[in-house]
Amino acid sequence: MKKPGYEPDQTLWEKARRLAEVLPPYPVVRHLLDAAAMTLFLWDRGLSGNQRRCIAVAFDLGDEPERARTLGVHLPELDYSGSGSSA
């Protein structure tokens, strides 16, 4: 949900290579949102209940797979937190 007067910073970009020449660089904020959406999709549709519980145990969350889902959605961000270039 967009807050009034708030616009995400799109000056950092993640992807520029292998994009069509007519496309602008791909901002990090959009890449992070895509990664989070895909993580949630895979969690919801690609994992069995037992796999979710195993991940929750690995995160030391006992039998709380929903908390593991919330934590897991942020893991892809760690890979991109140090990357990006000024556009």
Side-chain angles (χ1 to χ4, degrees):
M1 183 162 106
K2 185 176 175 183
K3 294 180 181 180
Y6 175 77
E7 184 68 29
D9 183 5
Q10 295 190 39
T11 58
L12 283 178
W13 53 270
E14 174 60 27
K15 304 282 185 197
R17 293 176 300 183
R18 296 185 303 269
L19 293 178
E21 293 294 324
V22 296
L23 295 175
Y26 191 52
V28 169
V29 68
R30 292 182 190 179
H31 188 66
L32 293 174
L33 291 170
D34 287 345
M38 196 66 217
T39 301
L40 292 175
F41 177 82
L42 291 172
W43 180 275
D44 294 340
R45 304 265 176 105
L47 297 176
S48 70
N50 191 48
Q51 289 171 318
R52 292 183 197 125
R53 282 187 292 280
C54 287
I55 293 169
V57 168
F59 285 155
D60 200 25
L61 297 174
D63 193 26
E64 299 183 65
E66 285 305 308
R67 285 186 62 205
R69 179 184 187 265
T70 301
L71 176 62
V73 76
H74 297 289
L75 292 178
E77 295 172 6
L78 298 175
D79 183 46
Y80 299 103
S81 62
S83 65
S85 302
S86 237

